[in-house]
Coordinates of all heavy atoms in Angstrom, one line a residue:
V250 N 7.5 -2.8 -10.7 CA 6.9 -1.6 -10.1 C 7.1 -0.3 -10.9 O 8.0 -0.3 -11.9 CB 7.4 -1.4 -8.6 CG1 7.2 -2.6 -7.8 CG2 9.0 -1.1 -8.7
S251 N 6.5 0.8 -10.6 CA 6.7 2.0 -11.3 C 8.1 2.6 -11.2 O 8.8 2.2 -10.2 CB 5.7 3.0 -10.8 OG 5.9 3.4 -9.5
A252 N 8.5 3.4 -12.0 CA 9.8 4.0 -12.0 C 10.1 4.8 -10.7 O 11.2 4.8 -10.2 CB 10.0 5.0 -13.2
S253 N 9.0 5.4 -10.1 CA 9.2 6.2 -8.9 C 9.4 5.3 -7.8 O 10.0 5.8 -6.7 CB 7.9 7.0 -8.7 OG 6.8 6.2 -8.5
A254 N 9.0 4.0 -7.8 CA 9.3 3.1 -6.6 C 10.5 2.3 -6.8 O 11.0 1.7 -5.9 CB 8.1 2.2 -6.4
R255 N 11.0 2.2 -8.0 CA 12.1 1.2 -8.4 C 13.3 1.5 -7.6 O 14.0 0.4 -7.1 CB 12.4 1.4 -9.9 CG 13.3 0.2 -10.4 CD 13.2 0.2 -11.9 NE 11.8 0.0 -12.4 CZ 11.4 0.6 -13.5 NH1 12.2 1.4 -14.2 NH2 10.2 0.3 -13.9
S256 N 13.7 2.6 -7.3 CA 14.9 2.9 -6.5 C 14.9 2.3 -5.1 O 15.9 1.8 -4.6 CB 15.2 4.4 -6.4 OG 14.2 5.1 -5.7
V257 N 13.7 2.3 -4.5 CA 13.6 1.6 -3.1 C 13.9 0.1 -3.3 O 14.7 -0.4 -2.4 CB 12.2 1.9 -2.6 CG1 12.0 1.1 -1.2 CG2 12.0 3.4 -2.4
F258 N 13.4 -0.5 -4.2 CA 13.6 -1.9 -4.4 C 15.1 -2.2 -4.8 O 15.7 -3.2 -4.3 CB 12.7 -2.5 -5.5 CG 11.3 -2.6 -5.0 CD1 10.3 -1.5 -5.1 CD2 10.8 -3.8 -4.4 CE1 9.1 -1.6 -4.6 CE2 9.4 -3.9 -3.9 CZ 8.6 -2.8 -4.0
I259 N 15.6 -1.4 -5.6 CA 17.1 -1.6 -6.0 C 18.0 -1.5 -4.8 O 18.9 -2.3 -4.6 CB 17.5 -0.6 -7.0 CG1 16.8 -0.8 -8.4 CG2 19.0 -0.6 -7.3 CD1 17.0 0.3 -9.4
K260 N 17.7 -0.5 -3.9 CA 18.5 -0.4 -2.7 C 18.3 -1.6 -1.8 O 19.2 -2.1 -1.1 CB 18.1 0.9 -2.0 CG 18.9 1.1 -0.7 CD 18.7 2.6 -0.2 CE 19.6 2.7 1.1 NZ 19.6 4.1 1.6
Q261 N 17.0 -2.0 -1.6 CA 16.7 -3.1 -0.8 C 17.4 -4.4 -1.3 O 17.8 -5.3 -0.5 CB 15.2 -3.4 -0.6 CG 14.5 -2.3 0.2 CD 15.1 -2.2 1.6 OE1 15.5 -1.2 2.1 NE2 15.0 -3.3 2.4

Side-chain angles (χ1 to χ4, degrees):
V250 300
S251 66
S253 61
R255 192 166 300 145
S256 62
V257 173
F258 285 87
I259 293 172
K260 183 170 183 175
Q261 288 301 121

